[in-house]
Amino acid sequence: MQTRNETLIAAENYERQRQQVTHFAIHRLKSNGVCKSGGTHEKHNGERLREGRYSEPLPDIISQFNGAVLDMFPPSGMYSLARNCFVFEEGSSSGISPSGQQTELTIFPEMMGNRKLHIGTLLGEICSQILEFWLIQRLESPIGNEYLNASLLPVLPLLTDMPPSLDSKDTLPPLPSHNSHPEISKSALSKVTPVMKRNSSLGVPTVRKRLSAIGAASSHGRLFKVMADFFLLAGRIEDALIWYTEAIQLLKSPLDSIWNASALEGMATIPILDSWSAGHGLQTSTSTGREPWSDIADKLIQATAIYFKVPPSDVENYQFLSYLYCSCVLRHTSLLFAIWSAKGWGPLAFTTMLQPGPTPYLPPTLSHNESTTWANLERLSSMSGIPRTSISSLLAQTHGSWLLHLGPRERVGVLEAIASTYSCLGYRRKESYILREVLGCILDLIVCGRQEDAHTNMRSFGNKGNVGIRLNESSDGNDSILRLLKHVCKVLGVNLDAIQIMEDKSDPRSHSEADDDSDVYREPFGWPELQIGVVRESVAVAEALPDFLAVAQYALSSLKTLQEFLEAGDQYHLYSTAARAMQIARRRGIMKAVEYWSGRPVVSIALAPLPFIRLPIEKPMSALKPRSSDSNAILKGGTDPFLYNPRRINATQGKPLIVRNEALEFIVIIQNPYVFDLELQSLSLNTSGVPFESNPTSLVVPARSYHRVILSGKALAIGSLVIRGCVVQAPGGVPREFVIPLATEEEEERLTHKRSAALCEAGRFKYSGLDNFPWERKNKSRNSGSGSSRSSKTMLFLECKVIPEQPLLRIRRTTVTHGALMLYDGEMSSIRITFENISPLPIDFVRLAFDDSTITPAQQALAEGELSVFETYETEYALIHRPVFSWIKNDSVAIAPGRKVTLTINCFGKVGCTEGTIHASYSYIHRNPDDDGEEASVFHTRQISYPLMVTVYRMLESHGMDILPYPSYPMSTDNVAQSNSNLFVEDNGAWCLFSLDITNTYGTPFEVSIERVQEDVPWGEILVNVPPGSTSRLVIPLKKFLLSDDHTSRPIPTLSDRQFVVDKTKLSDAEQKMQRELFWYREELFKSLRCQWREAGGTRYGNLSLRQQRLTLTMLETIRTERAGIQMSFVRSGDSTEPIEHRAGKYHPPCSELVYVRIKVTNLTTTALVFTLDVNIDPREHVIHDGILCDIPVGRLEAKDSK
Amino acid sequence: MAPNLRLNAVAFISPQNHPILIRTFMKQDETAIKYHYIAHTSLDVIEERVLASSKSSECYLGLLYSMEDVAVYGYITPLKVKIVLAAALTDAVARDVDINMASIKTLHMAYYSAISNPFLVLHDSSGAIHDTSRPLLAGSPKWKHLRRRVDEIARIVGNPSDTSTAAG
């Protein structure tokens, strides 16, 4: 069994080799075996490798072999077969014995070592067999000669038409001569040549003696030529030369011109073979002036010229004629090319010449990498003496109308040879041009092959001769065609590999860096018209193959790279083609996908701002501690004392806060520069940091537009969430990540830098043309310059901070209807707001803040600093002590999950207030310690706002404040009724009267009351009902007071702790003193009065502000207590105790009687003073006085002392 | 007078090997792409010629190659603008060199005067970033003037008999 298997393996190896040969023929579509003209080759090749596969009895093997041969070549065919069956024996135990003794059977015993050599020998035998049959037995007969001379290109008839020959075992048709010469002479250069020597050594029977036997019905020229061909084939160069010379002499008639040319070609071959075998690798020095190959070249030129001038006699001969012509030119070219590439006539040149064909041997001068550099090519030209242009102009001769007459396969072959030569010459554009024609031919063949295929499928399977063209069954050839396409496109500057095909499940992040700067300016490259053409072609070719992945790849690549140049129709076509192809590929189970292609679709990513009630605000824990001056904030209005505060910038640009397990929204802007609607299968966010849950969405981006997409997601843990970019996936494509760095200044700078660098580079070019492909240049620049800068920069991404879950509060209800609040000026009222905790977390911290429309203007006025000190004080007072909304702080408000709480807010009606807002900040601070571990340094609050519309009616206007001296009329006792009045003051201290006019401008009556709340003074109140539209004056006595100098000399305080308050009004000291006195007395006055109003018959009440009233100097004088109090009385002189009659405040002293005037001086100030007294009596003529009246010394009186 | 030289196409190619203007004087429009290819492939030969004779200041490159029915002549300006002239292949190709040279020089002058136009925007690369609908490079409208001149030259070259009338 073992041996049998080995036999099988060996046999299969050979079989595979053979198939490879055939396959190769299929590949390059050189399938000689199928078309008529290549018959010989197949005959050589056809059956000699047919081996016995099985360890069956030999007769069985032979019958199988014959059956197989018959299968392939039906006996009715016109070609004879040289058959031989090789049996490879493995091991002696198999018991194969050459019992049958058949001539066609050769058995390889196992012990034979060098099997390769033996097979070569046996092949030589087959060749000699062939030559013997055809040449000797067929053509030398007169009939054969007649056939040869029958027409320009004689076609020998089928077997049945041939008369039976003399001594043949089979009926073998003679060789169709038009097949012979190109093929044989060509192969004389290549494959068969090594065999030749062996042939001659094996001893082909010499034919010369038989020549006499040939009948001479017509000229022997053609026969001689055929003979010479065979001699050449057999390696007998001298014989061949003789026969060729004779043939050329005979073939002078115009009918024989192609034979003549062919003979010339043959003769041209001889010197090459000659020098090859003579030198066989050694350079024979040619010191003669002419180059050694010029002779050969002359002959070939001659032959070409003859072919060129052949009169086109017959239409069906065109194909052969042009093939002859083309192959002659090609031969010439390959001769020159070989010499050129080998740096001259030498062994290297022969080696090159010996191996033409699809995988030619390239001399080392061309096979290294820099072979196509200009220097190398030029050196070759100068060393060999053959300029490249001469080779290319030779080649150009084939290209033309001749090609049109060739059969498709020959045309492919010729074009292929042209293209490869151009490529080696460094004419890459020319090469690509030719290669496009090759592709065209191949596509023709594919289409033909399909039609043929349809026919063969009708018939029974088994006609293996047709396998060669059934391209669509095996996809082996497709790759080479696609490679060819890519090559052509590359030369034209289209990179069909711009989009890679990759495995479906590849990591989208693996190739993020590729072209993140593709939006940066791209320099156009190449020849757009040609590029578009070639792109269209390549897509069509890939479609025809069909290779759907390639279709998609090419279409999308060209969409990506040539987008600017493609017209709308083309773009649409390419896109739809690609989409269709991807669908089909998917349906057929191809698990590969194309890379994402559409440039850079994602323009920007931004975090959609959270709704205000959900927005968490980070606060340091220290904010919880009570602060000393809460009032400052409202006065400053958030202005910072520093002009530049770096911390503040950080605060505003800090990471946005997002809450764990709450939905987020990101706004992604997608662009579509194409004219069609771009479909994206999925679009998702690519994040790092904490786990993030988001659902990919699919969308269609409208043509030529920017599209806004909202992606939502949820962060699942606490920490930092970085949004690196988006992962985009086109239908049938591989997801691709696009990194979107944050548009920071550095990033912008980097981009502009890059762009300007690209623009700067754009005009410059060191290399032009094909040395300057954009994709290569990119590599170059990346290698050279930007390595360092790239490493140094770090991209910043959109980063969010994920914080723990936060409670959520909402306003359940308020006592305000329709969100509007109506207040009277100065009214005090309250509203209640009920909050509800709708989150599963408790709230243990609630703080309210308020805002209203009066705050901002006041703050602005304060900030401008144009107010006088007095006005500043008034404004500040209004801000701090009379806010529209106020709330009694209560830190211990806690709202359990799902519970409600009601808070009461006091409102104060302030004229000018139109709207206000209540902000409630709340948080869950005291969490379980095992949540965080250690005490957090920050906590987060959320705010909920309740805007209110406020209307404040001004209904009472106070004006005309005045302070009058209290009348010191003695109270008549009959005015008892009056003593009940408010105006009546029992005490006889220093009093004054405060009066105020109140006007009711509103529609309802109000009761206004002014209370006296002075210290040490009995309480007093005056109450007036002010009807609508009327003005009432309220008068209330006030006790005078005196403020100490220390008190009044204090500067007017500022309620804020503003620093650097420069006194702008330059007042003199006296004025300033006056101003301060006025200020302090006014303050004292307002302190001692309390004005209130109450809606008559209603529930509303409020304060009446006096602050708009100004204190004048006279009022000040009035209200201020004098420094000294004087009480005068008359007393009788002596010790008389009878008082002087004293009635109604008037003394009635008796006439002409001396009375004493007693003057009691009381120091009313708080400090000790020295007093003097002047007494003034009027009318003086009625009074006689004793003693001095002026400057009566009183002496020092202590405070409140009297004398 | 030399036999008429029939110009089939004229191509102006920028130093970066972008087509500037390709003008064909054939009747059918579908052959235009063929002359695109001819101009493109002639770059191979031009490159070779230029590199081979890099020192010489010769602008006229002579016959580049002949293909099928056209003979292709090349010319390179000192600033590496290439002018490719495709003439109908006649038997008298070799003798026409002088004429070709003259006509190519006129073409060069035409190009020269066209780019001397101060209002010509040669490189609209700055606008190209935002402009999504950039037209094809070859024969963009900015070369209208040049195109007219080239047409005229071709007409005169084709009919040397009425040179005097056309020149006037």
Side-chain angles (χ1 to χ4, degrees):
Chain A
M1 276 317 284
Q2 179 67 27
T3 56
R4 185 193 293 181
N5 281 345
E6 282 177 14
T7 318
L8 279 179
I9 289 164
E12 281 186 352
N13 278 342
Y14 272 103
E15 189 68 16
R16 202 173 299 137
Q17 278 178 9
R18 199 186 79 83
Q19 278 181 351
Q20 275 169 358
V21 171
T22 327
H23 258 306
F24 203 79
I26 296 166
H27 263 239
R28 313 300 298 232
L29 287 171
K30 282 193 60 162
S31 51
N32 294 320
V34 184
C35 77
K36 250 165 87 181
S37 61
T40 326
H41 193 65
E42 178 67 13
K43 247 174 256 150
H44 283 184
N45 216 354
E47 292 310 312
R48 64 186 178 205
L49 290 175
R50 172 67 39 178
E51 298 95 6
R53 287 172 168 239
Y54 314 104
S55 65
E56 290 161 4
L58 278 176
D60 287 358
I61 297 174
I62 290 168
S63 61
Q64 276 182 10
F65 169 69
N66 285 334
V69 170
L70 278 179
D71 213 15
M72 279 189 256
F73 298 100
S76 61
M78 58 183 296
Y79 304 124
S80 65
L81 288 179
R83 310 181 189 193
N84 218 332
C85 185
F86 298 144
V87 177
F88 295 90
E89 193 183 37
E90 294 284 345
S92 54
S93 63
S94 63
I96 297 177
S97 60
S99 57
Q101 289 303 334
Q102 307 208 6
T103 51
E104 299 169 359
L105 187 66
T106 313
I107 296 177
F108 286 81
E110 194 217 3
M111 46 285 266
M112 276 180 71
N114 195 349
R115 214 167 254 162
K116 197 175 175 185
L117 180 75
H118 281 279
I119 291 174
T121 317
L122 289 168
L123 288 183
E125 262 176 33
I126 295 181
C127 290
S128 70
Q129 215 177 350
I130 291 166
L131 289 177
E132 197 178 356
F133 283 157
W134 295 334
L135 183 67
I136 302 164
Q137 296 176 0
R138 297 288 73 176
L139 284 180
E140 283 186 6
S141 66
I143 307 164
N145 197 21
E146 283 311 310
Y147 273 114
L148 263 184
N149 284 307
S151 65
L152 177 67
L153 292 167
V155 179
L156 291 185
L158 291 179
L159 286 177
T160 48
D161 299 342
M162 276 295 278
S165 66
L166 305 174
D167 52 351
S168 63
K169 295 173 211 155
D170 313 327
T171 53
L172 285 175
L175 176 72
S177 67
H178 68 270
N179 283 334
S180 70
H181 41 89
E183 279 305 320
I184 289 174
S185 51
K186 201 173 179 183
S187 53
L189 284 168
S190 59
K191 286 175 184 153
V192 196
T193 324
V195 185
M196 285 302 113
K197 269 164 56 186
R198 214 171 289 122
N199 263 355
S200 54
S201 69
L202 281 171
V204 177
T206 174
V207 292
R208 201 183 294 190
K209 58 178 177 279
R210 293 197 179 212
L211 279 176
S212 54
I214 295 169
S218 54
S219 159
H220 295 301
R222 295 188 183 190
L223 180 62
F224 291 166
K225 193 252 159 199
V226 176
M227 299 269 280
D229 283 343
F230 283 119
F231 274 121
L232 187 61
L233 201 57
R236 298 172 63 163
I237 296 165
E238 298 83 5
D239 291 341
L241 187 60
I242 293 165
W243 288 113
Y244 272 134
T245 329
E246 283 192 27
I248 287 171
Q249 279 165 0
L250 286 173
L251 295 168
K252 289 296 180 199
S253 79
L255 275 180
D256 288 335
S257 55
I258 42 172
W259 290 82
N260 192 356
S262 177
L264 280 173
E265 280 187 70
M267 283 187 76
T269 321
I270 288 172
I272 297 172
L273 278 178
D274 225 0
S275 49
W276 173 69
S277 55
H280 200 69
L282 290 175
Q283 170 75 335
T284 53
S285 67
T286 52
S287 54
T288 53
R290 296 197 73 190
E291 299 282 4
W293 63 83
S294 57
D295 219 18
I296 309 165
D298 284 346
K299 283 206 180 71
L300 286 173
I301 288 169
Q302 206 183 337
T304 313
I306 293 172
Y307 282 131
F308 192 79
K309 284 180 195 154
V310 163
S313 58
D314 217 349
V315 179
E316 63 253 29
N317 284 340
Y318 278 170
Q319 188 182 347
F320 309 125
L321 267 179
S322 47
Y323 185 68
L324 287 174
Y325 171 76
C326 290
S327 50
C328 179
V329 174
L330 281 184
R331 189 166 301 131
H332 191 183
T333 317
S334 71
L335 170 73
L336 288 184
F337 172 69
I339 297 168
W340 172 77
S341 63
K343 301 184 187 171
W345 181 255
L348 209 50
F350 297 131
T351 326
T352 315
M353 279 187 260
L354 285 179
Q355 299 187 17
T359 50
Y361 170 76
L362 280 180
T365 49
L366 286 182
S367 49
H368 59 274
N369 280 338
E370 286 93 27
S371 64
T372 50
T373 58
W374 170 76
N376 185 42
L377 296 175
E378 281 308 307
R379 193 170 60 239
L380 285 178
S381 294
S382 62
M383 287 183 74
S384 62
I386 300 175
R388 284 194 285 159
T389 28
S390 64
I391 304 177
S392 72
S393 61
L394 254 182
L395 264 185
Q397 289 181 11
T398 43
H399 194 258
S401 53
W402 292 97
L403 283 176
L404 296 178
H405 295 299
L406 283 179
R409 291 175 183 82
E410 289 81 14
R411 200 186 310 164
V412 170
V414 169
L415 287 173
E416 189 191 337
I418 296 175
S420 58
T421 314
Y422 274 132
S423 152
C424 290
L425 287 177
Y427 288 177
R428 292 168 68 187
R429 299 184 183 90
K430 197 86 187 177
E431 178 203 357
S432 70
Y433 178 65
I434 303 287
L435 282 180
R436 288 184 62 238
E437 294 189 6
V438 173
L439 283 174
C441 291
I442 292 175
L443 277 198
D444 277 352
L445 281 179
I446 288 172
V447 174
C448 294
R450 279 215 189 103
Q451 288 165 355
E452 213 167 309
D453 195 39
H455 292 303
T456 49
N457 280 341
M458 295 298 199
R459 288 181 297 177
S460 67
F461 181 72
N463 191 358
K464 286 190 178 171
N466 282 339
V467 164
I469 50 168
R470 291 168 67 171
L471 264 175
N472 47 351
E473 280 206 343
S474 79
S475 60
D476 293 344
N478 289 3
D479 282 344
S480 354
I481 292 177
L482 295 181
R483 256 204 313 276
L484 212 56
L485 266 181
K486 281 183 190 170
H487 182 75
V488 171
C489 288
K490 219 159 222 178
V491 170
L492 284 172
V494 185
N495 191 4
L496 283 189
D497 283 329
I499 306 290
Q500 294 292 338
I501 290 185
M502 45 185 59
E503 291 300 321
D504 202 359
K505 301 297 174 210
S506 64
D507 185 17
R509 303 185 185 198
S510 58
H511 45 87
S512 58
E513 278 302 307
D515 50 353
D516 60 326
D517 50 350
S518 60
D519 54 336
V520 182
Y521 171 65
R522 258 195 334 217
E523 198 175 357
F525 176 81
W527 200 296
E529 286 86 351
L530 302 185
Q531 284 173 344
I532 289 170
V534 82
V535 156
R536 273 189 210 142
E537 269 180 28
S538 48
V539 172
V541 167
E543 254 185 324
L545 274 179
D547 186 333
F548 297 106
L549 276 180
V551 169
Q553 186 191 7
Y554 296 168
L556 297 178
S557 294
S558 38
L559 267 182
K560 183 182 182 182
T561 50
L562 290 176
Q563 189 245 323
E564 301 97 338
F565 303 116
L566 288 172
E567 287 166 15
D570 281 338
Q571 284 190 25
Y572 188 75
H573 170 73
L574 286 175
Y575 178 65
S576 57
T577 309
R580 209 169 47 229
M582 279 320 293
Q583 275 177 3
I584 297 173
R586 203 36 74 86
R587 211 185 305 140
R588 299 200 172 173
I590 299 171
M591 285 318 286
K592 291 196 172 172
V594 290
E595 200 180 16
Y596 185 76
W597 53 276
S598 153
R600 186 178 175 80
V602 185
V603 179
S604 71
I605 299 181
L607 179 66
L610 286 174
F612 185 72
I613 60 161
R614 289 184 176 272
L615 185 73
I617 299 162
E618 189 176 86
K619 297 232 168 102
M621 273 298 185
S622 59
L624 284 180
K625 292 169 188 151
R627 275 180 295 174
S628 54
S629 55
D630 271 349
S631 57
N632 288 347
I634 198 167
L635 287 177
K636 285 180 210 163
T639 56
D640 207 279
F642 301 105
L643 293 176
Y644 172 71
N645 189 346
R647 286 164 184 268
R648 206 178 153 84
I649 289 170
N650 281 343
T652 53
Q653 288 198 342
K655 303 168 188 172
L657 296 174
I658 54 179
V659 182
R660 179 179 153 196
N661 283 340
E662 279 188 18
L664 294 177
E665 286 187 340
F666 289 91
I667 300 171
V668 179
I669 294 180
I670 305 268
Q671 67 171 345
N672 176 10
Y674 300 99
V675 295
F676 45 82
D677 289 356
L678 187 63
E679 189 185 343
L680 296 180
Q681 185 179 327
S682 90
L683 175 72
S684 59
L685 287 172
N686 184 8
T687 61
S688 62
V690 300
F692 183 74
E693 176 190 287
S694 84
N695 293 324
T697 54
S698 67
L699 72 154
V700 174
V701 188
R704 286 242 165 119
S705 65
Y706 288 89
H707 193 63
R708 194 160 157 270
V709 188
I710 292 177
L711 292 176
S712 62
K714 201 185 265 188
L716 297 178
I718 301 167
S720 178
L721 177 72
V722 179
I723 292 101
R724 289 170 50 85
C726 274
V727 176
V728 185
Q729 186 181 16
V734 166
R736 163 80 191 263
E737 183 199 18
F738 288 95
V739 174
I740 311 282
L742 208 58
T744 54
E745 274 179 33
E746 298 102 64
E747 183 66 21
E748 292 290 321
E749 194 183 354
R750 187 181 71 89
L751 279 183
T752 42
H753 183 76
K754 207 170 222 176
R755 194 169 290 136
S756 61
L759 277 180
C760 182
E761 283 289 315
R764 308 178 188 174
F765 50 94
K766 186 166 180 182
Y767 306 100
S768 65
L770 299 181
D771 298 330
N772 200 19
F773 287 122
W775 50 92
E776 288 170 5
R777 190 172 35 191
K778 189 178 267 180
N779 291 339
K780 270 186 220 160
S781 65
R782 185 164 295 167
N783 291 340
S784 61
S786 61
S788 57
S789 67
R790 183 168 280 269
S791 60
S792 65
K793 80 159 187 215
T794 52
M795 285 197 206
L796 284 177
F797 297 106
L798 182 62
E799 202 172 345
C800 299
K801 190 173 174 189
V802 185
I803 57 170
E805 292 96 330
Q806 295 294 316
L808 189 61
L809 205 61
R810 69 166 182 178
I811 295 176
R812 181 78 182 179
R813 60 179 162 264
T814 62
T815 54
V816 181
T817 50
H818 306 302
L821 188 66
M822 196 280 280
L823 292 172
Y824 292 120
D825 184 12
E827 177 180 345
M828 307 286 293
S829 77
S830 67
I831 54 177
R832 283 195 304 282
I833 296 184
T834 306
F835 295 104
E836 183 182 10
N837 185 356
I838 54 171
S839 71
L841 291 172
I843 294 169
D844 55 4
F845 170 82
V846 177
R847 187 155 290 178
L848 298 182
F850 309 99
D851 191 11
D852 63 72
S853 58
T854 59
I855 290 178
T856 323
Q859 280 170 345
Q860 272 178 3
L862 281 179
E864 281 166 12
E866 296 293 331
L867 300 176
S868 71
V869 183
F870 183 73
E871 285 165 331
T872 306
Y873 177 81
E874 283 298 314
T875 317
E876 287 173 355
Y877 185 90
L879 279 176
I880 292 171
H881 295 295
R882 300 194 304 168
V884 176
F885 299 106
S886 59
W887 174 62
I888 300 149
K889 268 183 195 166
N890 184 4
D891 277 347
S892 63
V893 177
I895 312 174
R899 294 305 177 87
K900 304 182 198 71
V901 87
T902 304
L903 297 177
T904 306
I905 292 154
N906 298 322
C907 309
F908 177 78
K910 207 179 200 180
V911 172
C913 180
T914 55
E915 57 193 9
T917 316
I918 299 165
H919 303 290
S921 307
Y922 58 93
S923 174
Y924 174 40
I925 298 171
H926 305 289
R927 294 168 185 268
N928 282 337
D930 51 4
D931 267 3
D932 287 338
E934 74 269 14
E935 186 73 19
S937 63
V938 291
F939 67 99
H940 299 90
T941 61
R942 272 180 168 167
Q943 278 197 336
I944 187 167
S945 288
Y946 185 66
L948 275 174
M949 279 177 50
V950 181
T951 315
V952 178
Y953 295 105
R954 171 189 285 255
M955 71 300 175
L956 292 177
E957 282 177 10
S958 56
H959 52 90
M961 181 181 84
D962 203 356
I963 294 173
L964 303 167
Y966 192 78
S968 55
Y969 311 119
M971 290 296 162
S972 56
T973 49
D974 52 335
N975 284 346
V976 181
Q978 223 179 355
S979 66
N980 292 332
S981 153
N982 284 326
L983 293 175
F984 181 74
V985 186
E986 275 300 325
D987 186 31
N988 52 358
W991 289 81
C992 61
L993 281 178
F994 173 83
S995 75
L996 186 68
D997 289 342
I998 303 280
T999 311
N1000 186 354
T1001 57
Y1002 200 65
T1004 47
F1006 288 96
E1007 280 177 6
V1008 180
S1009 69
I1010 297 179
E1011 287 173 64
R1012 182 177 64 211
V1013 285
Q1014 276 174 306
E1015 288 173 20
D1016 309 329
V1017 175
W1019 177 82
E1021 187 191 22
I1022 181 161
L1023 187 79
V1024 173
N1025 194 341
V1026 187
S1030 69
T1031 304
S1032 300
R1033 166 166 288 195
L1034 282 86
V1035 181
I1036 190 165
L1038 275 180
K1039 185 161 187 176
K1040 293 186 177 186
F1041 51 89
L1042 181 74
L1043 296 176
S1044 66
D1045 278 348
D1046 292 347
H1047 194 162
T1048 55
S1049 61
R1050 279 186 294 175
I1052 298 172
T1054 54
L1055 294 171
S1056 64
D1057 293 335
R1058 294 207 296 173
Q1059 305 167 15
F1060 318 122
V1061 179
V1062 182
D1063 196 359
K1064 284 188 182 125
T1065 52
K1066 300 290 179 204
L1067 299 175
S1068 65
D1069 286 349
E1071 282 169 337
Q1072 194 167 8
K1073 183 168 179 292
M1074 179 72 67
Q1075 193 190 29
R1076 286 180 179 170
E1077 243 171 46
L1078 278 173
F1079 173 79
W1080 288 113
Y1081 275 100
R1082 183 167 174 264
E1083 286 299 304
E1084 195 61 29
L1085 172 68
F1086 291 156
K1087 250 187 247 172
S1088 58
L1089 291 171
R1090 189 193 296 154
C1091 299
Q1092 282 185 322
W1093 56 262
R1094 178 175 291 275
E1095 196 181 18
T1099 56
R1100 292 163 176 265
Y1101 63 95
N1103 281 331
L1104 186 66
S1105 172
L1106 298 176
R1107 292 214 159 254
Q1108 284 153 0
Q1109 314 304 322
R1110 309 217 41 142
L1111 191 69
T1112 59
L1113 205 56
T1114 48
M1115 293 189 218
L1116 172 68
E1117 293 300 329
T1118 317
I1119 199 168
R1120 183 162 57 189
T1121 314
E1122 292 87 349
R1123 303 247 162 146
I1126 291 175
Q1127 209 168 15
M1128 294 173 77
S1129 59
F1130 288 106
V1131 286
R1132 287 182 187 277
S1133 58
D1135 48 357
S1136 162
T1137 57
E1138 183 191 349
I1140 293 171
E1141 191 181 352
H1142 177 252
R1143 196 174 55 236
K1146 279 183 181 173
Y1147 285 95
H1148 301 278
C1151 192
S1152 305
E1153 186 182 340
L1154 279 172
V1155 291
Y1156 290 100
V1157 177
R1158 184 193 289 163
I1159 300 171
K1160 187 180 177 186
V1161 179
T1162 312
N1163 183 0
L1164 292 175
T1165 65
T1166 51
T1167 52
L1169 286 175
V1170 176
F1171 289 89
T1172 55
L1173 192 67
D1174 288 348
V1175 178
N1176 200 6
I1177 300 169
D1178 194 42
R1180 187 166 283 200
E1181 57 271 23
H1182 297 289
V1183 180
I1184 299 166
H1185 59 88
D1186 185 19
I1188 50 170
L1189 288 178
C1190 296
D1191 290 337
I1192 306 167
V1194 178
R1196 177 174 295 268
L1197 286 175
E1198 292 302 318
K1200 309 290 182 191
D1201 207 356
S1202 45
K1203 195 171 181 181
Chain B
M1 204 70 194
N4 289 0
L5 177 70
R6 237 184 67 231
L7 282 186
N8 281 4
V10 171
F12 291 84
I13 301 165
S14 78
Q16 292 97 331
N17 290 348
H18 299 314
I20 293 173
L21 177 77
I22 299 207
R23 196 77 188 128
T24 56
F25 307 109
M26 307 294 285
K27 289 291 172 286
Q28 314 96 316
D29 265 356
E30 58 263 27
T31 57
I33 194 72
K34 170 184 161 191
Y35 291 101
H36 278 274
Y37 275 111
I38 284 177
H40 187 243
T41 48
S42 66
L43 288 176
D44 276 333
V45 190
I46 289 177
E47 264 176 23
E48 189 201 354
R49 294 270 170 92
V50 168
L51 288 168
S53 60
S54 53
K55 295 291 175 287
S56 76
S57 58
E58 181 59 57
C59 290
Y60 182 58
L61 299 172
L63 177 69
L64 298 180
Y65 62 95
S66 57
M67 191 179 112
E68 299 175 23
D69 54 343
V70 286
V72 183
Y73 299 89
Y75 184 89
I76 184 161
T77 69
L79 286 178
K80 296 205 188 330
V81 171
K82 293 122 188 159
I83 302 176
V84 174
L85 190 146
L89 190 62
T90 59
D91 290 336
V93 165
R95 287 195 289 125
D96 283 346
V97 167
D98 293 339
I99 300 236
N100 287 334
M101 198 162 160
S103 56
I104 280 192
K105 278 200 171 152
T106 2
L107 288 172
H108 183 196
M109 283 311 291
Y111 179 70
Y112 174 74
S113 63
I115 59 169
S116 305
N117 178 7
F119 299 106
L120 180 72
V121 184
L122 266 183
H123 301 289
D124 55 349
S125 52
S126 55
I129 301 168
H130 309 291
D131 188 11
T132 52
S133 62
R134 189 147 40 124
L136 293 181
L137 286 177
S140 67
K142 67 185 179 189
W143 298 112
K144 195 174 78 180
H145 186 59
L146 176 61
R147 195 161 58 225
R148 236 184 4 244
R149 275 171 176 270
V150 168
D151 286 353
E152 193 176 329
I153 291 169
R155 192 161 50 81
I156 294 168
V157 167
N159 310 308
S161 53
D162 52 39
T163 305
S164 54
T165 57

